[in-house]
Amino acid sequence: MTPSVKTLSVLGATGSIGRNTLDIVDHHRDAFEIVALTAQSNVAELARQALKYRARMAVIGDEALYSELKSLLSGTNTVVAAGEDALVAAASETVDCVMAAIVGSAGLKPTFAAAKHAKRVALANKECLVCAGEAFMTLIASGTCELLPVDSEHSGVFQTIAAADESSIEQITLTASGGPFRSWSNEQMAAATVDQALNHPNWSMGAKVTIDSATMMNKGLELIEAFHLFPVRHEQLSCVVHPQSIVHCLVSFTDGTTLAQMACPDMRTPIAYALGWPNRLKAPTKRLDLTDLSGLTFELADENRFPALAVARAALEKGGAAPCILNAANEVAVAAFLDRKIGFTDIADLVGWTLDRCEALGLTGRVCSLKDVLDVDREARMLSGSRLDGGP
Ligand code: NAD
Ligand code: MG
């Protein structure tokens, strides 16, 4: 192996971010050696990837799929494992970079493990910062792992403030596409179907984050993510609806300058940045031209029609365990919506109800450790779940 070859593990390799990451690897085949690939249940795709990249390890989260993965990879040198502990073990391999792209709070333990052992974590799993921002950033600050954001808006901010003196940052604005229901009324959204909510106008993403974009909870989670990543108070964070998804963020400075980061909406751009930093890897994405910029528009986000955004902002302001509860309830609600058990507008209602209930039960206090976070996550899921089952 030449010194310029980077060892890379991809957690959540079969998902949207995982596949886009491997697509970047395909364009830089000699620059990366794949160590571990993980997935939850798509055993065929994981095996195909492990064969193609000659991965050292392939781990499937669902233990019932172990023998299938084992037989698909028989005769190869890939070590096969299954289950949650095996995911954490794979994430703990010492590598140059881990792409943390598991969706949801399921990504917390593996991402923490990666931050302890890898030279760099490319962080797509925003839930890690939403639920456990304080503990995760403390871990990063106390070690040597570099943290590179993958979320497009946060990648933009990271690039924009790179040379800035922290005290010169006045305001960070994240843009939101507004999702498929940007101009829908409350009544229309109450009747929205799963297929309509999954039909995102600009981005091709996994189901969870696509629904979060439709409710605008995604932008709320991203404000919390930004709060932990960047040296600002929550009052300095805002969002604006920008339907073209060309400008990903705007950062305003004390001298009156505002810098914007722009790129076509394609996750391979921020992924390439996170893998290549401080250099830039060539990415096979569409380039912007000036005609793309002639129709850019910006509008205020309507928190009456998108109450998830207001609920998330309140959780950010409250701090402590509130963002973790927000995330847990939202994961339960989005899964129920995707299972067609609740309506689209019930998502924000359930999240708001769970936060109020947890506050009444005294569960919104400070969470210092990953264990505290996982305890709160479990409790909040139980409360949301029992509400869905018709509980009090
Ligand atoms: P996805 O649903 O397409 O893929 C998720 C991956 O996680 C899959 O490989 C799946 O096997 C794995 N996974 C799911 N549940 C798991 C579990 N319980 N244990 C272990 N592995 C599990 O999701 P995605 O869209 O690629 O998103 C991944 C993360 O990146 C999310 O946190 C999302 O918010 C963030 N993100 C995604 C995009 C995007 O464009 N897709 C953009 C910004 C941020
Ligand atoms: Mg984003």
Side-chain angles (χ1 to χ4, degrees):
M1 195 170 84
T2 60
S4 61
V5 176
K6 281 187 179 165
T7 49
L8 172 70
S9 292
V10 185
L11 313 178
T14 56
S16 169
I17 293 288
R19 289 176 198 232
N20 276 315
T21 302
L22 293 172
D23 186 76
I24 291 293
V25 169
D26 285 344
H27 288 83
H28 300 273
R29 208 57 207 92
D30 298 333
F32 294 99
E33 183 192 324
I34 301 297
V35 176
L37 296 174
T38 83
Q40 176 59 13
S41 53
N42 191 343
V43 70
E45 176 64 11
L46 180 62
R48 191 194 67 75
Q49 292 176 343
L51 282 169
K52 176 174 175 184
Y53 298 99
R54 298 189 179 159
R56 279 193 234 155
M57 302 175 73
V59 181
I60 191 87
D62 183 347
E63 293 187 44
L65 297 170
Y66 172 78
S67 43
E68 194 177 341
L69 183 62
K70 184 88 186 147
S71 85
L72 284 169
L73 292 174
S74 66
T76 71
N77 291 329
T78 303
V79 175
V80 173
E84 201 192 321
D85 290 346
L87 286 173
V88 172
S92 305
E93 288 287 310
T94 304
V95 288
D96 293 312
C97 182
V98 170
M99 171 56 71
I102 291 174
V103 61
S105 63
L108 262 67
K109 278 193 200 168
T111 307
F112 268 72
K116 283 182 195 150
H117 299 280
K119 288 191 191 144
R120 174 177 305 177
V121 167
L123 187 69
N125 177 266
K126 64 189 82 183
E127 295 85 354
C128 190
L129 285 172
V130 171
C131 302
E134 192 180 335
F136 191 70
M137 293 312 285
T138 302
L139 175 63
I140 293 291
S142 65
T144 54
C145 179
E146 297 160 345
L147 181 62
L148 269 290
V150 170
D151 221 339
S152 52
E153 301 78 1
H154 305 72
S155 172
V157 175
F158 185 91
Q159 297 176 50
T160 308
I161 67 171
D165 155 23
E166 288 184 5
S167 64
S168 69
I169 303 168
E170 229 167 47
Q171 189 75 23
I172 293 178
T173 303
L174 309 180
T175 62
S177 67
F181 305 145
R182 182 173 58 89
S183 52
W184 286 34
S185 67
N186 285 327
E187 293 69 33
Q188 285 174 305
M189 282 193 272
T193 65
V194 169
D195 287 345
Q196 287 169 327
L198 285 174
N199 187 23
H200 197 283
N202 304 348
W203 295 96
S204 164
M205 309 179 286
K208 160 71 170 44
V209 62
T210 304
I211 301 301
D212 287 346
S213 295
T215 59
M216 291 197 71
M217 178 62 87
N218 185 48
K219 214 46 51 182
L221 299 176
E222 290 184 358
L223 290 172
I224 301 171
E225 184 184 8
F227 173 74
H228 291 290
L229 282 172
F230 306 118
V232 287
R233 300 182 310 280
H234 66 75
E235 309 83 42
Q236 292 171 281
L237 290 165
S238 58
C239 68
V240 66
V241 174
H242 165 50
Q244 298 79 24
S245 300
I246 298 282
V247 176
H248 301 291
C249 68
L250 299 125
V251 181
S252 302
F253 297 92
T254 45
D255 63 357
T257 296
T258 293
L259 297 181
Q261 187 261 343
M262 296 190 281
C264 289
D266 186 324
M267 286 309 292
R268 291 175 300 177
T269 292
I271 289 169
Y273 186 79
L275 297 183
W277 181 87
N279 303 317
R280 286 189 187 264
L281 288 181
K282 197 165 173 156
T285 56
K286 180 176 177 287
R287 302 305 192 245
L288 280 178
D289 65 43
L290 286 178
T291 55
D292 291 319
L293 308 182
S294 58
L296 299 191
T297 58
F298 300 89
E299 53 198 70
L300 287 178
D302 180 350
E303 293 193 358
N304 291 320
R305 283 187 304 118
F306 296 99
L309 192 51
V311 175
R313 185 169 265 293
L316 167 62
E317 285 165 20
K318 187 169 284 300
C324 175
I325 294 162
L326 172 93
N327 179 72
N330 185 54
E331 286 192 28
V332 170
V334 170
F337 173 69
L338 287 170
D339 281 351
R340 293 161 172 84
K341 289 183 183 144
I342 62 172
F344 181 75
T345 48
D346 297 330
I347 297 173
D349 287 350
L350 181 63
V351 176
W353 178 88
T354 308
L355 268 165
D356 290 346
R357 190 86 192 99
C358 286
E359 183 148 28
L361 292 169
L363 293 171
T364 51
R366 191 161 170 223
V367 276
C368 301
S369 66
L370 178 57
K371 184 189 172 303
D372 291 350
V373 168
L374 295 173
D375 288 347
V376 170
D377 176 78
R378 198 175 316 109
E379 194 85 29
R381 277 166 199 278
M382 260 162 44
L383 283 167
S384 321
S386 64
R387 174 77 171 172
L388 283 179
D389 295 338

